[in-house]
Amino acid sequence: MASNGPVKDKVLTLETLNPCVKVMEYAVRGPIVARAGAIEAELKQGANKPFKRVTKANIGDCHATGQKPITFIRQVLALVTYPDVLMKSPDFPEDAKKRAQRILGACRGNSIGSYTESPGLLAIRENIAKYIKERDGYPCEPIDIAMCTGASDGIKSILTLLLTGKPGTERAGIMIPVPQYPLYSAALAEYNAYPIHYYLNEDNHWGLDVAELKRALNEAKANCKPRAICVINPGNPTGQVLTKDNIQNIIKFAHENKLFILADEVYQHNVYAKGSQFFSFKKVLMEMGTPYNTMELASFMSASKGFMGECGYRGGYTEVINLDPEVKAMYNKSISAKLCPPVSGQAVMDVITNPPQKGEPSFEQFTKEKETVLAQLNEKAKLVTSLFNSIEGITCNEVQGAMYAFPRLHLPAKAVEAAKAAGQTPDSFYCFALLEETGICTVPGSGFGEKPGTYHFRITILPQVEELKEVLGHFKDFHLKFMAQYK
Ligand SMILES: Cc1ncc(COP(=O)(O)O)c(C=O)c1O
C-alpha cells in the first residue's frame, strides 16, 4: 500500500484529534464485529472452523438477516425513482402509482433527485401528522414534524439544541438509561455533554423506577446542568414495553425537574407480549392534561425497524411539541444547514404512514406481508425468551417488544478471573468465545452499560425462524461447555 507520508506532517494525529471523537464508543459495530468480519474472510479462504457461516446477531438490520422487503414500499420507491417508464407499466398497482405521483408532484422538477424543504416534503409530513393523530387521538401538525436521515440523525439534532456550549460542570446533563442503545452515549461523548446514567430495573422487566431517576439526577447535579431525559420504548437492548402508569410517572418526574423529554419510539410497531401495548409519550402527556400537556417533547420514529426494516434508506422523523417559538426557529435553522434528508427515505416514511387502505388494490398483500413479519418476530421473541430461561446460568426477561433479547449471564468466578487475565470484561470474553466456537456474533452487555457485577449480552431476534432455532441450539451447547470449563 502506498505510504500516506510521515505522521509529523499531519494536521491530524491521535494527539491533535478532537478528544471527544477519541472517547466515543459504539459497541454495536465494535471489535467483536470486526473479528466476525475477519472470521468470514477466513471461512471464504477455506479455513477449518466448527461452523460454516457467521451469524450476525449483533445488529438490528432486518433485511441483512433475510427479512423480505414489503412489496408496496419497494413499488412506490421504484416508481418515484424511474417514473418515465414504470408509471406506464401494467406491473405496478394503481395505489402505488397514486402515491408515487403525489410524492413526485411535491418534488421540485418532479424528481426525487432535487432537494426538498429541510424538514422534508410537506406532502409527506401531512401524512405523518395524520398517522400520529390517528395513533394518539390528539392533533398533530406537519409543522411539528421534521424528517431526518434515520432516527439517529433526528436524535442528534435535538441533542445539539440541548448543549450549553460551556465546559466542566456547566455542561448539559442528559439522562440516559443503562443499558442503553449506544447512539446516546456515543453522541454525548462526541458533543462533550454529561451522561446521567439511570439504571433500568432488571428485576421489574427493565422498567424505570422513579426513585432511581431521582438518585441519578441528584448525584449528577454537582457535575452538570441537567436538561433532558431520554427514554427508549420499546427498549433496546432490553426489549421492555413500558406501561402507561410507568410513562405517567416518568412525565411527572421530568416535569418536577424541568427536563426536556426525548422519547425514542422507533420500535412502536414491535410489541409482542400478551398484555403489553405501545403508548406514545405524546398521547400519555396529552391525556394527563395541565400542566403536563405543555411540556417540551421530541419523539422519534424510523423506517429502519417495525415490519419494514428499511435501514438502508435512512428514513425517519422527529415530532417536537411545545417548543418556545424562538427556539423552534433556531431548530429549523439548524436542520436547514443539512439541506434535507434523502428523498427516497422520505418516500419510505410516506408509505409507512399512509399504507394501502381497505378497498385499494394492494391492501390485502400489504397487510399480509406486514402481519407475517410481525408474527414471525413474535414467535422468535417467545422462542428466545423460553430458551434462555431454560438454560442453567442464564436468566432473561421476556422480550416484550423491539428486536433483541438481553439475557443475564451468571458466570462462575473462574470465568470472571479468566476474562480479567485476558484483559477483557467477562461478557466480552464470553461473547468472543461464543463467536470463535459457533460463529454467532452478539454484543457484550458492557457495550450498552450494565449494573456493576452483572454480565449480559445482546442478541437480535432477527435471523429467520429455522436459522434462529439452529443458532440457539449451537448457543446452548456452547454455553454448557463454557460453564463446565470454568466451574
Ligand atoms: C433505540 C434506537 N434508536 C434509534 C436507532 C437508530 O435508527 P435509524 O437511525 O436507523 O433510524 C436505533 C437503531 O437500531 C435504535 O435501536
Side-chain angles (χ1 to χ4, degrees):
M1 205 205 289
S3 158
N4 286 327
V7 172
K8 70 175 175 43
D9 294 343
K10 304 286 178 203
V11 175
L12 276 184
T13 66
L14 261 190
E15 258 150 51
T16 58
L17 178 70
N18 176 353
C20 298
V21 173
K22 273 196 277 185
V23 296
M24 218 181 119
E25 282 180 20
Y26 190 67
V28 176
R29 296 193 171 204
I32 199 151
V33 185
R35 178 66 194 132
I39 292 179
E40 269 183 329
E42 288 169 26
L43 283 171
K44 259 193 197 147
Q45 284 171 2
N48 193 16
K49 305 252 177 211
F51 50 87
K52 292 209 163 43
R53 63 171 188 272
V54 170
T55 306
K56 294 262 180 68
N58 58 296
I59 192 161
D61 192 353
C62 312
H63 293 192
T65 35
Q67 184 181 310
K68 293 275 164 287
I70 300 288
T71 306
F72 191 73
I73 295 180
R74 291 304 179 90
Q75 284 172 331
V76 174
L77 281 158
L79 287 161
V80 293
T81 307
Y82 196 31
D84 289 356
V85 172
L86 300 185
M87 280 293 196
K88 295 181 205 125
S89 164
D91 295 336
F92 287 79
E94 285 310 309
D95 46 356
K97 287 183 180 171
K98 206 169 103 191
R99 277 161 184 77
Q101 200 56 65
R102 183 167 177 273
I103 294 168
L104 288 171
C107 290
R108 294 176 188 131
N110 286 309
S111 167
I112 63 160
S114 51
Y115 291 127
T116 68
E117 298 91 305
S118 296
L121 292 169
L122 177 62
I124 299 182
R125 285 183 287 130
E126 282 168 354
N127 280 336
I128 295 174
K130 194 162 155 270
Y131 161 84
I132 295 175
K133 184 171 172 232
E134 280 164 15
R135 183 194 68 188
D136 294 341
Y138 289 96
C140 177
E141 302 301 331
I143 199 165
D144 290 335
I145 308 291
M147 276 182 275
C148 39
T149 310
S152 311
D153 169 48
I155 293 164
K156 289 180 86 170
S157 294
I158 296 292
L159 287 175
T160 316
L161 299 183
L162 292 157
L163 302 176
T164 59
K166 293 181 186 152
T169 56
E170 296 295 308
R171 288 188 292 161
I174 312 288
M175 300 190 72
I176 57 170
V178 178
Q180 51 105 28
Y181 173 58
L183 163 69
Y184 291 95
S185 51
L188 296 185
E190 185 184 346
Y191 296 156
N192 196 24
Y194 187 89
I196 307 176
H197 296 126
Y198 66 85
Y199 288 108
L200 301 178
N201 186 350
E202 186 165 16
D203 297 330
N204 187 21
H205 297 287
W206 295 112
L208 275 80
D209 276 345
V210 171
E212 168 58 14
L213 295 178
K214 284 186 184 155
R215 177 210 60 80
L217 187 65
N218 287 339
E219 283 180 16
K221 275 181 181 161
N223 303 322
C224 63
K225 297 280 169 249
R227 307 195 81 169
I229 178 166
C230 302
V231 181
I232 307 172
N233 179 48
N236 175 9
T238 37
Q240 86 283 16
V241 179
L242 298 181
T243 61
K244 190 189 263 194
D245 189 47
N246 208 174
I247 296 174
Q248 285 169 345
N249 288 331
I250 298 162
I251 292 172
K252 284 184 193 157
F253 167 83
H255 185 261
E256 256 166 49
N257 293 285
K258 217 163 177 246
L259 296 171
F260 191 113
I261 302 175
L262 283 86
D264 184 330
E265 298 175 337
V266 300
Y267 295 102
Q268 58 192 264
H269 290 124
N270 300 102
V271 176
Y272 321 113
K274 224 177 173 186
S276 288
Q277 193 184 338
F278 170 74
F279 296 102
S280 74
F281 265 75
K282 175 168 177 202
K283 179 183 173 70
V284 178
L285 180 145
M286 288 297 166
E287 272 176 11
M288 288 166 76
T290 3
Y292 306 105
N293 56 5
T294 52
M295 289 174 71
E296 294 142 285
L297 166 76
S299 43
F300 308 99
M301 174 58 173
S302 170
S304 306
K305 312 296 168 186
F307 56 91
M308 46 286 181
E310 293 281 9
C311 303
Y313 276 106
R314 310 308 297 130
Y317 70 76
T318 307
E319 184 192 15
V320 203
I321 57 166
N322 297 327
L323 226 52
D324 172 295
E326 286 180 337
V327 174
K328 182 81 172 276
M330 292 288 167
Y331 172 55
N332 287 335
K333 180 187 70 179
S334 78
I335 55 176
S336 72
K338 292 188 280 191
L339 290 172
C340 70
V343 186
S344 46
Q346 296 186 37
V348 178
M349 285 319 304
D350 188 61
V351 179
I352 295 165
T353 52
N354 181 28
Q357 302 300 309
K358 222 177 188 156
E360 286 191 303
S362 304
F363 177 75
E364 264 170 44
Q365 186 183 356
F366 178 88
T367 309
K368 191 165 158 239
E369 289 179 0
K370 172 180 170 178
E371 285 175 359
T372 303
V373 173
L374 293 176
Q376 283 172 353
L377 286 167
N378 192 340
E379 181 186 349
K380 292 185 282 189
K382 292 187 169 50
L383 197 72
V384 292
T385 309
S386 70
L387 180 105
F388 286 135
N389 285 311
S390 73
I391 306 177
E392 206 188 319
I394 296 190
T395 48
C396 185
N397 273 321
E398 182 180 18
V399 180
Q400 297 173 327
M403 297 176 171
Y404 318 91
F406 198 62
R408 180 166 172 186
L409 296 163
H410 302 270
L411 296 177
K414 271 194 186 162
V416 176
E417 278 162 30
K420 275 191 189 137
Q424 289 178 324
T425 61
D427 39 22
S428 289
F429 182 72
Y430 180 93
C431 290
F432 268 107
L434 176 68
L435 174 65
E436 296 293 343
E437 287 186 32
T438 64
I440 306 171
C441 180
T442 56
V443 186
S446 44
F448 304 93
E450 54 201 342
K451 260 199 167 152
T454 68
Y455 311 114
H456 303 78
F457 67 97
R458 188 189 80 168
I459 182 166
T460 72
I461 59 168
L462 293 175
Q464 299 305 292
V465 177
E466 286 315 310
E467 189 188 349
L468 187 65
K469 282 185 184 160
E470 192 189 319
V471 164
L472 292 176
H474 295 316
F475 170 82
K476 185 172 179 177
D477 295 343
F478 160 81
H479 178 81
L480 296 177
K481 219 171 99 197
F482 183 92
M483 295 298 271
Q485 185 182 349
Y486 292 103
K487 207 170 178 175

